Amino acid sequence: MRSVKLSRRIENELAALMTREEEGDPMAIKKLSAKAVAIPKFSATPGGEEGVFQLSSHARAREALDFALCAERPGFNVFVLGPERGGRMTATVEFLEGKMAERKNRPCDWVYLNNFGAPHLPRPAELPAGEGRKFQAKMSALLPQLRSELTKAFGAPEYERQVEEQSGQVQQQVNQEIENLRKAAREEGLDIVQSPQGFSIVPIGADGKQVTSEGMPEVQRKSLEASARELSERLRDLRRTAAQRQMTFAEQLASMNRKVAENAVAGLMEEIEGAFADNKDITAWLREMHEDILENIQRFKPAAEGQGADSGSPEMRYAVNLLVDNSACTSPPVILEPSPSAASIFGYIEYRQKGGILETDFTMVRAGALHRANGGILVLRADGLATVPDLWTKLKAALRDREITLETPERSGGIPIAGLPKPQPIALNVTVVLVGAPKSYDT
């Protein structure tokens, strides 16, 4: 009985609301057509294959992306909001790739080079797209040529004759002065003999053979001792003179070696310097390399052959670490890093095991996503970024300072590695696009 009364009450209330609708009351119940409650259909903006960003419902998002991509000043980055598993990442990357394809400014290559003044601080150099690979290839071809030319120059008969002639003159002068001193000693009943410990003065008999001073008359013994002291002083002066002459000869030999090396390598170095004359950083480094070769000729001598990958060999000292190769790029890159970490974002340093220890050098520096995206766009998952401690702070610092600083194991509390370099920072010009759910944005 109670339910019948309740049904009648509901019917009366509905009838009253219908009456209010007829009287124009905005709070009255309204009848809706099937079309009004159907799934909404959004119009697409004309032109371009932009996926969901082509829909009119995403006009604001599209305008925000366009603004960030066109802003010339740094600091305009983007957070793309979307529900989980709604295709937000795929749609965003496709949209960005389409936008970047319209631009024809190719990103630059980056290399790391040996810093001759501070080997633990390898320095970066920027080259036009495709020039990094060319530079690396030219340097790889140059080093065997340098070794061959220097080997021929220092193995030439004329060079060997000059060295032997100058060395012989110095040795002849020293021998002559020693012989003169020996004659003076023999006149005093003494002689100069040479042993592994050096020259010494000893008494001799009438037959010229060494004798001892024991049993000699006191006057004769004291006379020999006085003569020996005088000769010892003259012998010390002779040794000092001989050492000075050897130093002078070494300086002359170094000067001659430098001239010989300069004649051998000048043409090759001028050729490669001319090939990269438009790049000030590369030409400056090549000039330093030229000087370093003349100061370290011994590295190219035949005895140094077979060093292979040894850090002291020219092949390692003058190597080119092609960090970022954009030779295949025709437009700014769009790089998606699905699993953000310090190594994947900022790069890392590889190492090798040798003799029971870990060692590395500047040729083993590897690029991160920021390096590869430099000059373009880096796309990251916001939730993945938030799971790595301090990574968000480091990324903001890189965008603020506009440079990429590679974190080394030594600074991050890892195992110390022999020869661990600390690469100098690389200039950064990138737009970061974070993609995530509203909860990630709120976090």
Side-chain angles (χ1 to χ4, degrees), residues 13-29:
E13 289 179 355
L14 287 174
L17 289 172
M18 295 294 290
T19 303
R20 289 168 61 186
E21 178 188 9
E22 294 174 356
E23 295 174 352
D25 189 340
M27 297 301 294
I29 292 179

Side-chain angles (χ1 to χ4, degrees), residues 79 81 84 88 382-383 386 435-443:
F79 196 114
L81 289 171
E84 296 286 353
R88 62 196 179 194
D383 54 352
V435 180
K439 64 178 181 180
S440 298
Y441 178 81
D442 295 335
T443 300

Side-chain angles (χ1 to χ4, degrees), residues 256-364:
M256 184 177 71
N257 286 346
R258 186 181 177 91
K259 291 178 182 178
V260 172
E262 174 64 20
N263 291 333
V265 306
L268 293 172
M269 293 304 301
E270 288 174 2
E271 181 180 355
I272 192 169
E273 287 177 21
F276 295 92
D278 294 335
N279 192 310
K280 294 181 180 180
D281 290 340
I282 296 299
T283 52
W285 183 81
L286 287 171
R287 292 192 185 101
E288 292 180 18
M289 172 187 169
H290 190 162
E291 181 65 23
D292 189 75
I293 290 173
L294 301 181
E295 294 293 332
N296 297 276
I297 305 168
Q298 70 279 0
R299 297 181 186 275
F300 287 90
K301 290 184 178 180
E305 291 183 358
Q307 284 184 334
D310 188 89
S311 59
S313 68
E315 286 75 12
M316 291 294 295
R317 188 171 181 82
Y318 309 121
V320 175
N321 180 357
L322 182 55
L323 188 74
V324 179
D325 179 14
N326 284 316
S327 57
C329 293
T330 58
S331 58
V334 177
I335 302 298
L336 168 62
E337 179 50 56
S339 302
S341 67
S344 67
I345 298 296
F346 294 95
Y348 58 97
I349 302 176
E350 293 181 342
Y351 59 88
R352 55 179 170 264
Q353 189 168 4
K354 185 177 181 180
I357 63 172
L358 300 179
E359 64 175 22
T360 186
D361 53 62
F362 76 97
T363 65
M364 305 183 79

Side-chain angles (χ1 to χ4, degrees), residues 114-387:
N114 186 15
N115 187 341
F116 303 115
H120 65 291
L121 298 174
R123 66 195 204 197
E126 185 179 14
L127 299 98
E131 291 296 304
R133 181 177 291 275
K134 291 180 182 178
F135 181 50
Q136 185 184 53
K138 282 186 174 292
M139 286 297 299
S140 297
L142 173 67
L143 291 172
Q145 296 175 358
L146 290 172
R147 185 184 292 279
S148 176
E149 292 300 318
L150 288 168
T151 300
K152 287 193 296 184
F154 286 99
E158 178 62 22
Y159 170 78
E160 294 178 352
R161 185 191 64 77
Q162 291 185 22
V163 173
E164 291 177 0
E165 183 178 309
Q166 293 183 18
S167 177
Q169 289 176 356
V170 173
Q171 190 61 47
Q172 185 178 359
Q173 290 177 340
V174 173
N175 291 341
Q176 184 61 48
E177 292 178 355
I178 291 175
E179 188 60 32
N180 292 339
L181 189 60
R182 177 175 283 120
K183 289 180 180 179
R186 286 174 177 172
E187 292 177 357
E188 300 291 337
L190 300 168
D191 196 6
I192 299 175
V193 297
Q194 187 173 10
S195 66
Q197 291 74 33
F199 289 103
S200 60
I201 299 174
V202 297
I204 58 174
D207 57 358
K209 294 182 179 180
Q210 181 177 345
V211 297
T212 64
S213 58
E214 295 179 2
M216 288 186 181
E218 183 70 14
V219 175
Q220 182 184 4
R221 185 175 59 80
K222 289 184 177 181
S223 176
L224 287 175
E225 289 177 353
S227 297
R229 285 194 295 271
E230 180 184 354
L231 289 170
S232 294
E233 186 63 32
R234 292 174 62 182
L235 185 60
R236 282 193 292 270
D237 292 341
L238 178 58
R239 284 198 292 261
R240 284 193 293 266
T241 302
Q244 292 174 354
R245 287 176 178 167
Q246 287 292 343
M247 289 177 60
T248 301
F249 168 70
E251 292 173 357
Q252 293 174 344
L253 181 60
S255 177
M256 184 177 71
N257 286 346
R258 186 181 177 91
K259 291 178 182 178
V260 172
E262 174 64 20
N263 291 333
V265 306
L268 293 172
M269 293 304 301
E270 288 174 2
E271 181 180 355
I272 192 169
E273 287 177 21
F276 295 92
D278 294 335
N279 192 310
K280 294 181 180 180
D281 290 340
I282 296 299
T283 52
W285 183 81
L286 287 171
R287 292 192 185 101
E288 292 180 18
M289 172 187 169
H290 190 162
E291 181 65 23
D292 189 75
I293 290 173
L294 301 181
E295 294 293 332
N296 297 276
I297 305 168
Q298 70 279 0
R299 297 181 186 275
F300 287 90
K301 290 184 178 180
E305 291 183 358
Q307 284 184 334
D310 188 89
S311 59
S313 68
E315 286 75 12
M316 291 294 295
R317 188 171 181 82
Y318 309 121
V320 175
N321 180 357
L322 182 55
L323 188 74
V324 179
D325 179 14
N326 284 316
S327 57
C329 293
T330 58
S331 58
V334 177
I335 302 298
L336 168 62
E337 179 50 56
S339 302
S341 67
S344 67
I345 298 296
F346 294 95
Y348 58 97
I349 302 176
E350 293 181 342
Y351 59 88
R352 55 179 170 264
Q353 189 168 4
K354 185 177 181 180
I357 63 172
L358 300 179
E359 64 175 22
T360 186
D361 53 62
F362 76 97
T363 65
M364 305 183 79
V365 178
R366 300 293 178 254
L370 273 177
H371 297 99
R372 296 191 299 273
N374 207 359
I377 300 174
L378 174 62
V379 184
L380 299 172
R381 297 185 185 277
D383 54 352
L385 187 65
T387 60

